[in-house]
Structures are given as C-alpha cells and as structure tokens.
Amino acid sequence: MKRATRLSRSSSSLISPSCHHAFIPKPTLLPLDRRRYISAYGYTQAKALVYHKPGSPAETLTLHTHSISPPHSNLLTLRTLAAPLNPADINQIHGNYPIAPPFTQVLGTAQPSAVPGNEACFEVLSAGSGCKNVGKGDWVIPRRTGLGTWRTHVQVEEDKVVKIDRDGLTPEQVATVSVNPVTAYRMLKDSVHLREGDWFIQNGANSGVGRAAVQLGAMWGLKSICILRQRPEEEWDALKREMLELGATEVVSEKEVCERDFVKKVQDWTNGKDQLPKLALNCVGGDNAMAVAKTLAEGGTMVSYGAMGKVPLRVGASMLIFKDLRFLGFWVSRWGDRMPEEKKKTIDELLGMIREGKLKDVPMVEVPWSWETGKDDLVKAAQGTLEGFRRGKGIFKFGDT
C-alpha cells in the first residue's frame, strides 16, 4: 500500500477544485511529533519485529509491515517513542519466560506470530470516541507484561495502558521505569524492614536494577556493598568510581567475594557481626550467590530476581538451620499484576525522583528505528542483549515512523 505524508491544512486548503491551473504550494512538512504515514483511507502503516516460533533473535525475528485501521470505541492508536531491550525480552523469544505474548495472525502474518518487548513509551496518535481518560498527544506505558512493544505503532484498548505525566521527562526515562527501578524499589521496601544505617549487599550491581537500588538505598540512608564483574584495570577503576558516586558504600569484584576472607572484610566494614547485611539482592546465582549469602546477618534474607549465571542456588543446610536465612524470589510482572494501584504509585514516585534529578538514568545505547531501518540492524541489537560486557542498556529510539 502506498504511503503518504499528511499535509497541513494551510497548504491543502489552497487547492481550488474549480481552477484547472491553481497554484499548488510545496507541502509543509509537519514536526516529527505531528507527522505520521497514512493510506488514502486513513489507515496508519506500521512495522513490527515478529517471530513465529521460539529461538534466538537472529534465527527467528523478522520485520513485518502492516496497516492499522482508525480507532473506534475504546481503542487507541499509539506511536512508539522508545522501547528498551531487556534480558526478559530475549528469554521470551527463546521460549524460556513464564509469560509469552499471544501468537496470532491479527497483523496479517503468514503464520501465527508474536511481537516481543514488554516496556515502552508510547504517544497517543488518535483515540476512539469511547476513550475516557486518554487522548491525542498523551504518553502512556503498558499496564501489564506481554503487550509486544518492538514495533512502530500499535492499537490497543484504553485499559491496556497507563497514562503518564510527561512533563520534565524523556521518552527513554518513561520507557525504562516500570521494570528495573520498580524491582529495586519493591525489593528494598518489601523484603525486610530496613532502617537508616542498615546494610544490604547485591551482585550484578551495574545492572539497571542494581544501579537503581544503589541510588534508592543512598536516598533512604542505607549502606550498600556492590559486586561487579571484573574488567580491565582502567575500565574497573572508572566503573568503581561511578558506582561510588551513585551512592555505593563499598564496591568489590566477583573474585573478591569468593575469597575466604571476604566475610571478615564485610564484618570490618559493618563494625561486627551484629551489623552484617540484613538483605542480599541476587541476579546471578551459583557460587557467587552462595558467597554473598554467607555475609548475611542471622535471620537475613536473600531475594533473587534473576539468574544471569544460569546456575542454580545450592543452599547449605547450615544457612537454614544455624543462621535462619530466608531465600525469596521477586518477579515484578507478577507483583504488578497483583498490585496495579501500588505499581502506579511506585512508578509515579520514581518518575518524580527522575524529574528532580535524584535518580539518574542507566547508561543507554540507542538503536535508531525509522521507517527505512532494515531488519538486520534491529535484530543485531536484540541478539547482543545477553552477550558480554555492554556499554549500556539497549533501547530502540524511534524517529520518523
């Protein structure tokens, strides 16, 4: 279907149907936030990354073009502004995640297919007459996991999204607030009662969750021990400085954590056994997590929210019997589905911190996505999400779509 750029009213109104030689001015190109591509019948043209079977992104993802009809009733047509690439998104594509997006042919694909991606910031292009709380120009985010956000446009019911106050925020900040910062916030608030001056310890501290936890903990008067993967010396020194500036109290490598005297080091930092960390945040698993657990105070709690090491926890009986440790899991998708109002309050509070400059953005690597962007560039970015050291979180930044 031929794509056409919408003209402004000022230029189109100068064409007179009664004059065969009327002057036709050059079309006025609208600003990007007012521009979109439509067919002669008002259909918005869109592109989406889709997959029809589980596998690696490089093997399964294709770029599909389709059309979206004008919204009616309680439907919204949305344009994607930014959408991050999270490890959970890749796990979904691999078929290793508890929640999968629906596989359908609603987009006109040859086989039932799904759109990956769980977070995004959308702008409302148009709204059906039955929409009550959201209108054109508003920014919204998905209400639940599994919407499928790696696409230029989407049409959904109004109750599938949550309106966000966009003042003072960027699309990237809005797009990345509902998973990592919310996870850090809830684990620090809900897992164990922490008072000002208490310690917590975390591995994967350079992750989105880890960086948010460091900053939130510092704001709330908590002290933190942050564990990072070892890097070349110059990179290590720079990252250590950055973590300390974010609010970390101590920064150590994974290698140090597994050394025999590490528990003694923690006791020295915390001024004795009575002040050992009450909480550990784990996203790695395996021996790393068990070394972290050994530093916990009696009755302490380890909360696992990821398993990037792909090695199970092997909890020694002495940790359970003599130290009375608790081992819990936290999955923000399930928590958000059970506590939608609390999730909205948490997001609003976090966005308030971001506006005030109290909560700094995680480093991001923008992946430009315009109408002309090809499949290979997009798939390459998705494939690299779980591979090696990264300069920052990958995020699709949508331009002229």
Side-chain angles (χ1 to χ4, degrees):
M1 183 179 291
K2 187 177 180 180
R3 301 167 70 240
T5 304
R6 183 175 57 182
L7 305 182
S8 68
R9 289 185 179 180
S10 60
S11 60
S12 61
S13 63
L14 295 176
I15 304 174
S16 170
S18 62
C19 180
H20 296 292
H21 303 285
F23 170 69
I24 303 177
K26 184 178 179 180
T28 301
L29 190 63
L30 296 173
L32 183 60
D33 62 353
R34 294 177 55 209
R35 194 189 316 162
R36 63 190 174 98
Y37 294 99
I38 58 174
S39 73
Y41 302 98
Y43 282 67
T44 299
Q45 295 195 52
K47 290 186 178 182
L49 283 171
V50 300
Y51 65 106
H52 70 273
K53 63 179 180 179
S56 73
E59 296 170 338
T60 61
L61 288 179
T62 60
L63 188 59
H64 176 70
T65 303
H66 62 103
S67 297
I68 299 175
S69 61
H72 61 85
S73 186
N74 65 334
L75 294 177
L76 299 167
T77 298
L78 311 176
R79 183 173 81 90
T80 317
L81 302 179
L85 299 91
N86 291 315
D89 302 329
I90 309 305
N91 289 334
Q92 275 189 336
I93 297 170
H94 283 146
N96 300 326
Y97 201 69
I99 294 177
F103 284 74
T104 72
Q105 291 179 279
V106 69
L107 301 184
T109 52
Q111 302 177 69
S113 300
V115 179
N118 294 289
E119 279 189 293
C121 174
F122 300 107
E123 179 186 29
V124 178
L125 286 181
S126 51
S129 59
C131 295
K132 305 296 183 184
N133 302 309
V134 179
K136 183 178 179 180
D138 288 338
W139 283 8
V140 297
I141 61 175
R143 185 176 295 276
R144 300 172 68 113
T145 301
L147 179 64
T149 59
W150 293 2
R151 48 176 136 195
T152 62
H153 303 78
V154 63
Q155 189 171 88
V156 297
E157 294 90 351
E158 184 183 20
D159 62 4
K160 294 294 192 297
V161 295
V162 176
K163 182 179 175 180
I164 295 296
D165 179 2
R166 60 188 285 182
D167 289 346
L169 299 169
T170 67
E172 295 86 348
Q173 291 168 333
V174 173
T176 56
V177 72
S178 63
V179 173
N180 292 335
V182 171
T183 295
Y185 186 109
R186 296 320 322 175
M187 289 194 299
L188 290 176
K189 283 289 189 181
D190 301 339
S191 305
V192 63
H193 179 59
L194 295 174
R195 295 189 293 263
E196 187 174 349
D198 284 342
W199 288 77
F200 72 94
I201 183 170
Q202 62 168 342
N203 55 30
N206 189 39
S207 66
V209 173
R211 284 171 169 263
V214 166
Q215 296 177 78
L216 292 170
M219 274 187 262
W220 298 334
L222 304 177
K223 299 178 181 180
S224 60
I225 302 170
C226 293
I227 304 164
L228 307 171
R229 284 186 292 174
Q230 190 64 54
R231 288 160 167 79
E233 185 175 355
E234 190 172 327
E235 286 183 42
W236 170 262
D237 291 341
L239 182 56
K240 183 175 180 178
R241 282 195 304 272
E242 185 179 1
M243 296 304 296
L244 291 171
E245 289 170 359
L246 288 176
T249 311
E250 301 289 344
V251 179
V252 297
S253 69
E254 289 184 338
K255 181 180 177 181
E256 290 177 80
V257 172
C258 293
E259 293 173 351
R260 287 192 172 187
D261 65 343
F262 184 65
V263 174
K264 177 63 169 59
K265 284 184 179 179
V266 175
Q267 290 176 353
D268 292 342
W269 292 334
T270 60
N271 297 319
K273 292 183 178 181
D274 293 338
Q275 300 299 319
L276 287 171
K278 295 180 179 180
L279 176 66
L281 307 181
N282 167 50
C283 68
V284 177
D287 293 340
N288 177 294
M290 288 301 94
V292 170
K294 289 177 182 178
T295 70
L296 286 171
E298 184 175 323
T301 298
M302 170 172 277
V303 182
S304 295
Y305 64 95
M308 297 301 292
K310 298 182 180 179
V311 180
L313 299 180
R314 296 183 176 90
V315 181
S318 62
M319 291 185 179
L320 302 174
I321 299 170
F322 303 121
K323 291 194 70 176
D324 192 27
L325 299 186
R326 296 191 307 152
F327 292 83
L328 309 175
F330 182 80
W331 184 24
V332 71
S333 298
R334 177 171 55 198
W335 176 85
D337 291 346
R338 291 177 176 175
M339 311 280 286
E341 295 303 319
E342 194 64 28
K343 178 182 176 181
K344 180 62 166 59
K345 290 179 183 177
T346 303
I347 287 173
D348 286 343
E349 185 174 348
L350 288 165
L351 290 177
M353 295 176 186
I354 293 171
R355 284 190 192 91
E356 296 171 11
K358 295 179 179 179
L359 189 62
K360 293 181 173 60
D361 300 342
V362 65
M364 297 184 197
V365 178
E366 293 186 359
V367 181
W369 186 339
S370 65
W371 188 263
E372 289 74 25
T373 303
K375 182 196 81 168
D376 291 347
D377 291 337
L378 303 177
V379 172
K380 181 180 178 181
Q383 185 68 33
T385 299
L386 297 180
E387 296 177 356
F389 294 115
R390 293 176 294 144
R391 294 182 290 112
K393 172 182 283 296
I395 185 166
F396 290 127
K397 180 68 181 296
F398 292 81
D400 185 1
T401 58

